[in-house]
Amino acid sequence: MSPTRHRNRREAVRRWAPRGAVLAALGLAATGCASNEFTRLGVPEPITEQGQRVLALWQGSWVAAFAVGLLVWGLIVWSIIFHRKRSEQLPPQVRYNMPIEALYTVLPIVVIAVLFYFTARDQTYLLETDEKADANIEVVAFQWSWEFNYLDQSKAEAAEAAGGDEDADPEILFSEVGTPDQMPTLVLREGDVVHFDLHSPDVIHSFWIPAFAFKLDVVPGHDNEFQVKVNEGTAGTYMGRCAELCGADHTRMLFQVEVMEPDEYDAWYAEQQEAAEAEQAEQAAAEAGAEGGEQQGDAEASTEGEGGQAEGAGTEGADEEAQGQDASDGGEQDAAARDEESEEEEAGR
């Protein structure tokens, strides 16, 4: 290849490379504006404030990955174009290149440090539970379904109210219990801060709602907690599942999440409370009836015992009277026999 032709090609590459990069960036931005799903990079649309933070961290990680990838591929292309073989002459041989080696060492450390900082910051934010919650829900994960207990307060608040007693349990207002064949429904209200207490009686599960962009393990013997703020305008039905392989029917541990508007949620909440109170009253009446039946049975048994004792006393009295009568009759017969013997002796004389 002639030097002139080589110089023209190199100038063309230099002239069109920046334009190509600009066109690629514009195409990427246009695609992102046209499709929100593309900018989320596979994450569902978050319905909580905490989910928005997770999405921002996810997008930032992809931006860093794209930047590193572009740098690496740019160096590769630059080496191919400007350091390809031009002649049989051996290039200058060097033992090391301090600037390049320093770059290779410092740049990965900087990237990892930045990602670590943002990850630790967002993790701390996601696990904060200091804000007063509008709803407190205990999530019980068991093989192979879910139980959602709506509480009057969180477990931490109940323990604090009891003077630090960790065994103190809050009051359960009403519950929703599912089965592998019947998915339970977790009902939330728009705009609420919801506190979740996670509990498992058997094995490790994982409470995952993709629309939260967040999941947390449910560990036996170690209750976890977190809370979210549901965004306004997110009314609808979403899916939830167990994200931890927990046994044979792991895939059947599904549940629904229904986000309601405030008025609709308040009506549903009042209806659930009335149903729970009616059930409690019916159960209390049944228990009172059972206790009354037991007391009546005890009273009847006591009456029967007293009657038996009276009958026994009467029988014993009759027996004693009969024995006395027999003794009296025997005494009269002995006296008559003695009189006859005395008369016979006198007649013999």
Side-chain angles (χ1 to χ4, degrees), residues 70-112:
L70 288 175
L71 175 63
V72 173
W73 281 102
L75 292 174
I76 292 174
V77 173
W78 180 77
S79 300
I80 292 174
I81 294 175
F82 297 105
H83 292 278
R84 66 185 185 276
K85 181 179 179 181
R86 295 184 177 88
S87 65
E88 298 299 330
Q89 184 179 358
L90 188 65
Q93 302 297 304
V94 293
R95 299 179 60 182
Y96 53 86
N97 188 317
M98 285 299 298
I100 295 297
E101 292 183 5
L103 177 66
Y104 287 165
T105 303
V106 173
L107 185 59
I109 294 177
V110 171
V111 172
I112 293 174

Side-chain angles (χ1 to χ4, degrees), residues 1-252:
M1 180 182 298
S2 64
T4 304
R5 186 177 180 182
H6 173 70
R7 184 170 55 254
N8 293 337
R9 175 176 295 183
R10 183 167 54 187
E11 291 177 357
V13 170
R14 290 177 177 175
R15 184 174 61 255
W16 284 103
R19 297 181 183 180
V22 171
L23 292 175
L26 291 176
L28 184 64
T31 307
C33 295
S35 174
N36 196 24
E37 294 182 0
F38 179 82
T39 58
R40 293 198 307 268
L41 299 167
V43 176
E45 181 69 27
I47 64 173
T48 65
E49 289 185 359
Q50 289 76 8
Q52 295 290 345
R53 178 67 68 89
V54 174
L55 176 60
L57 177 64
W58 175 250
Q59 292 172 329
S61 301
W62 273 102
V63 169
F66 280 133
V68 173
L70 288 175
L71 175 63
V72 173
W73 281 102
L75 292 174
I76 292 174
V77 173
W78 180 77
S79 300
I80 292 174
I81 294 175
F82 297 105
H83 292 278
R84 66 185 185 276
K85 181 179 179 181
R86 295 184 177 88
S87 65
E88 298 299 330
Q89 184 179 358
L90 188 65
Q93 302 297 304
V94 293
R95 299 179 60 182
Y96 53 86
N97 188 317
M98 285 299 298
I100 295 297
E101 292 183 5
L103 177 66
Y104 287 165
T105 303
V106 173
L107 185 59
I109 294 177
V110 171
V111 172
I112 293 174
V114 171
L115 291 176
F116 178 82
Y117 166 76
F118 285 106
T119 301
R121 184 201 66 177
D122 292 347
Q123 178 178 325
T124 302
Y125 168 74
L126 293 173
L127 296 178
E128 285 181 355
T129 57
D130 296 334
E131 186 176 0
K132 180 66 175 177
D134 300 304
N136 296 280
I137 302 174
E138 180 188 26
V139 178
V140 181
F142 59 92
Q143 296 173 319
W144 312 99
S145 193
W146 303 86
E147 177 180 354
F148 303 122
N149 298 322
Y150 292 77
L151 311 176
D152 63 336
Q153 58 184 341
S154 67
K155 289 187 175 182
E157 292 173 340
E160 183 178 357
D165 184 8
E166 296 182 356
D167 296 330
D169 292 326
E171 180 184 357
I172 298 177
L173 304 178
F174 55 89
S175 300
E176 173 74 13
V177 184
T179 65
D181 298 324
Q182 182 65 36
M183 288 190 302
T185 300
L186 174 64
V187 182
L188 307 175
R189 176 172 52 190
E190 289 182 354
D192 272 5
V193 175
V194 185
H195 182 97
F196 293 97
D197 287 299
L198 308 182
H199 172 72
S200 172
D202 41 47
V203 299
I204 297 178
H205 302 274
S206 184
F207 181 67
W208 181 33
I209 301 175
F212 284 6
F214 179 81
K215 61 183 177 181
L216 189 63
D217 283 348
V218 190
V219 183
H222 179 77
D223 294 349
N224 287 328
E225 62 177 351
F226 74 99
Q227 63 186 38
V228 297
K229 186 178 190 324
V230 183
N231 293 332
E232 299 284 351
T234 56
T237 302
Y238 308 89
M239 289 300 300
R241 56 183 58 88
C242 176
E244 184 78 22
L245 183 58
C246 56
D249 289 337
H250 159 71
T251 57
R252 303 177 69 184

